[in-house]
Amino acid sequence: MSPKHIEDMYDAVIVGAGAAGLSAALGMLRSDAIRGLRDDGVEPRILVISKLQPLRSHTGSAEGGIAASLGNVEADDWQWHYFDTVKGGDWLVDQDAAKLLAEYAPQTVINLERDGVAFSRTDDGRIAQRRFGGHTKDFGREPVRRAAYAADRVGHQILHSLWQQCVAAGVEFAEEWYVTDLVLDADRSRVAGVVAYDTHAGAVHAIHARNVLLATGGAGRLFHTTSNSWDLTGDGMALALAAGLQLEDAEFVQFHPTGLAHTGILLSEAARAEGGVLRNADGEAFMAQYAPEHRDLAARDVVSRSIMAEIDAGRGVADPKDPDGPKDCVWLDMTGIDRDHMEAVLPQVVETIRKYANIDPAKHWVPVKPTAHYTMGGIPITTDGEVYRWMAGDDAGRRTVVEGLFAAGECSCVSVHGANRLGGNSLLDACLFGNRAGLALAARIVEHPVDDPMADAADTTDDPLTAAVDAAAAARKDELAMLLSPADAADDAANGASDAIDDNPYRLLADLGRVMERAVAVRCSADTIGTALAALHDELAPRAAALHAHSDMAAFNQEVTAIWEARHLVSLGETVLRASDARHESRGSLKRLDYPDRDDAHFLAHSMCSGDGLLWQPVHIVDYPPQARAY
């Protein structure tokens, strides 16, 4: 679906159509502010741009649940959820944001049900809930059933329901358009719009907007083994970096403990919540040693490190598909779960194991290993979704909001996840803070709507911004023409890039994934980080700059967008490595072998990384001072 025409100016452009982007669109359109605007006869100009058809967004692959203290199965309290979120993030969580997350989680889940999400039910008809790692009652005393679920397909339910509501509300989508540029004014204080590439027509468009919201998802494809879909290439984060903005806590990348061996495909935490047990080569249920209270349902970083410790100690197993290969997996034993119950509540997990491993999980153990799953860091935002810069120099120690620029979901960092995200909090973050960003967008739109009949027709305040977007679009059109022009092997050879004509973005991404995995997957050190940075600077970045399309067709040329994605990931990879190198401690998902302990005295702070360098922003401590973290 493509817009029938491009407006001269939009009130708001939302980039990304997963749970965060769709929640923002609905929050905006359902707000009292927009209702009042429509009652006055003014229709807001809104466009949602998605590089996929929205129902292919990665939200649809979320399996296990969405966390909320509904108390439908056992007693629960949002204050307990708040504490668990802070502890789960190893005290790098901004507690004002985490408090909002926990307090408004039940309302968020109930609103999703009203929008059509078909949650699984208890016998008395209420929303069913299951255990998830790190969620407890009484401030850590024992596990609690807090994750609302829809079998093991809750993301699919949420995505379809939100999309249907957006279609019903008349939201205009630009589907399979790829945003190549985020355009700000000269001093990075105000948004001007975006540049987007229509993959169907092969055309570059200047999209002028008074407000832009980025909701582009994560960056799992930085790594060779990932649970993320193929399209999660860190686009929003890379766009922010290219525009001169910062990324917050980029060093914290969560590895989910149970990726199906050598595919990376996620086997939901729900499998362990329903009774699955992790075992080493000796058949030992080893999590009792590492997390005696919570065992297989400890926080994800704890379980992932425990698996790697077993592998490093020689107690790993080989993938049965490659029995002579490396022993870099452990077993997931689901044989203790009743077959009928397993089929009813874990249908997607069972189907994945049977289809991709040729194993019947009711009879045989399943090989698993940690897989890159979630980026805790991202574009820094306030609790209303406003993108800001953490300032240095004369303005040191304060946030400066970029006027009209918002973000939500995994590409952003409101810092409710800190150094490690608890299972069930990602869908909650996307829906809750997506909705809040939508409400903040609506408040800005009503102040100065594009179609305001009372506006001064001679107003030219937006002219410099319009020119900036047009200039960015012209530069991108020139680059596209260069990418599609016939490659000159003689010129390549003269520039020392004789292999460039044979290179391609897919090979580059595979090489980048292996470099990043060796450097910072689950554990790292100064040596591994330094080796990876050298590889990026000396090999991968020059290769990315030299990439050239192998077809001169602009329409439906997937290699063009793959080249831009590869360049985004190389840029983002460098930022992840620089931030990891700067943090001389181990916290949450970041395990530094050369700095094995947490260091609150020096690093109870968020890294704020950009092309201008790295700054540190203090964590917001409200109710829970840092303490030891154990499960």
Side-chain angles (χ1 to χ4, degrees), residues 69 76-83 98-100 102-106 146:
S69 56
D76 201 358
D77 188 292
W78 72 263
Q79 294 276 3
W80 302 343
H81 185 188
Y82 171 29
F83 172 81
K99 181 178 284 189
L100 287 171
E103 186 173 4
Y104 290 97
R146 183 176 291 146

Side-chain angles (χ1 to χ4, degrees), residues 303-340:
V303 181
S304 290
R305 280 196 299 276
S306 302
I307 290 173
M308 297 308 296
E310 290 296 299
I311 292 168
D312 291 344
R315 293 186 290 272
V317 300
D319 184 349
K321 284 190 170 184
D322 184 19
D324 297 324
K327 295 182 178 182
D328 58 354
C329 304
V330 295
W331 297 117
L332 174 62
D333 175 10
M334 299 170 59
T335 60
I337 307 173
D338 176 77
R339 179 185 289 276
D340 291 340

Side-chain angles (χ1 to χ4, degrees), residues 277-568:
V277 177
L278 293 166
R279 300 186 184 277
N280 61 21
D282 300 327
E284 179 186 11
F286 58 85
M287 283 307 302
Q289 300 176 24
Y290 298 97
E293 295 295 326
H294 295 266
R295 302 194 175 198
D296 298 275
L297 285 175
R300 288 174 176 173
D301 62 316
V302 174
V303 181
S304 290
R305 280 196 299 276
S306 302
I307 290 173
M308 297 308 296
E310 290 296 299
I311 292 168
D312 291 344
R315 293 186 290 272
V317 300
D319 184 349
K321 284 190 170 184
D322 184 19
D324 297 324
K327 295 182 178 182
D328 58 354
C329 304
V330 295
W331 297 117
L332 174 62
D333 175 10
M334 299 170 59
T335 60
I337 307 173
D338 176 77
R339 179 185 289 276
D340 291 340
H341 182 69
M342 187 190 300
E343 297 280 2
V345 300
L346 300 171
Q348 189 162 309
V349 169
V350 172
E351 180 184 359
T352 297
I353 294 169
R354 287 175 177 162
K355 183 172 182 178
Y356 294 100
N358 297 320
I359 290 173
D360 181 353
K363 294 181 178 179
H364 303 289
W365 296 353
V366 182
V368 296
K369 64 179 293 188
T371 181
H373 184 57
Y374 191 88
T375 46
M376 269 77 69
I379 305 165
I381 59 170
T382 69
T383 54
D384 288 323
E386 302 161 300
V387 175
Y388 68 87
R389 292 184 292 150
W390 183 251
M391 305 302 290
D394 294 339
D395 295 319
R398 78 179 174 87
R399 297 176 171 185
T400 297
V401 168
V402 181
E403 185 181 345
L405 184 60
F406 298 79
E410 192 174 351
C411 76
S412 70
C413 184
V414 69
S415 203
V416 289
H417 307 308
N420 171 69
R421 176 178 66 78
L422 291 187
N425 274 357
S426 61
L427 288 171
L428 177 59
D429 171 15
C431 294
L432 193 158
F433 286 103
N435 181 75
R436 287 180 65 90
L439 294 174
L441 264 173
R444 277 188 52 83
I445 290 171
V446 297
E447 291 177 359
H448 189 199
V450 170
D451 284 338
D452 185 354
M454 303 302 292
D456 183 357
D459 185 3
T460 61
T461 57
D462 281 345
D463 281 351
L465 300 180
T466 299
V469 179
D470 290 341
R476 190 60 67 173
K477 288 176 183 177
D478 290 343
E479 186 204 26
L480 177 62
M482 182 184 67
L483 288 176
L484 297 175
S485 63
D488 189 329
D491 286 348
D492 284 335
N495 292 327
S498 58
D499 294 331
I501 200 167
D502 297 319
D503 204 0
N504 64 72
Y506 312 104
R507 182 184 300 159
L508 175 59
L509 286 175
D511 293 343
L512 172 64
R514 283 187 282 269
V515 166
M516 293 297 294
E517 198 139 306
R518 286 193 295 267
V520 290
V522 183
R523 66 269 211 241
C524 64
S525 68
D527 289 342
T528 64
I529 294 168
T531 299
L533 280 170
L536 258 70
H537 292 157
D538 297 342
E539 178 195 352
L540 299 177
R543 283 175 57 192
L547 287 172
H548 199 281
H550 288 76
S551 167
D552 61 0
M553 293 293 293
F556 296 103
N557 190 340
Q558 290 184 326
E559 191 176 15
V560 170
T561 52
I563 288 171
W564 288 327
E565 288 173 333
R567 291 172 178 172
H568 280 168

Side-chain angles (χ1 to χ4, degrees), residues 230-298:
W230 219 235
D231 64 291
L232 286 188
T233 51
D235 298 311
M237 290 177 264
L239 289 171
L241 283 173
L245 301 179
Q246 298 161 324
L247 294 187
E248 179 177 356
D249 292 339
E251 64 268 36
F252 294 106
V253 179
Q254 181 178 84
F255 276 70
H256 194 288
T258 52
L260 184 61
H262 300 115
T263 68
I265 300 172
L266 183 67
L267 301 182
S268 173
E269 199 162 314
R272 285 171 284 139
E274 298 294 343
V277 177
L278 293 166
R279 300 186 184 277
N280 61 21
D282 300 327
E284 179 186 11
F286 58 85
M287 283 307 302
Q289 300 176 24
Y290 298 97
E293 295 295 326
H294 295 266
R295 302 194 175 198
D296 298 275
L297 285 175

Side-chain angles (χ1 to χ4, degrees), residues 70 72-73 113 117-129:
L70 298 169
N72 287 350
V73 179
E113 182 188 35
V117 176
F119 288 105
S120 296
R121 321 300 291 192
T122 62
D123 291 340
D124 60 358
R126 293 185 291 178
I127 295 173
Q129 296 181 272

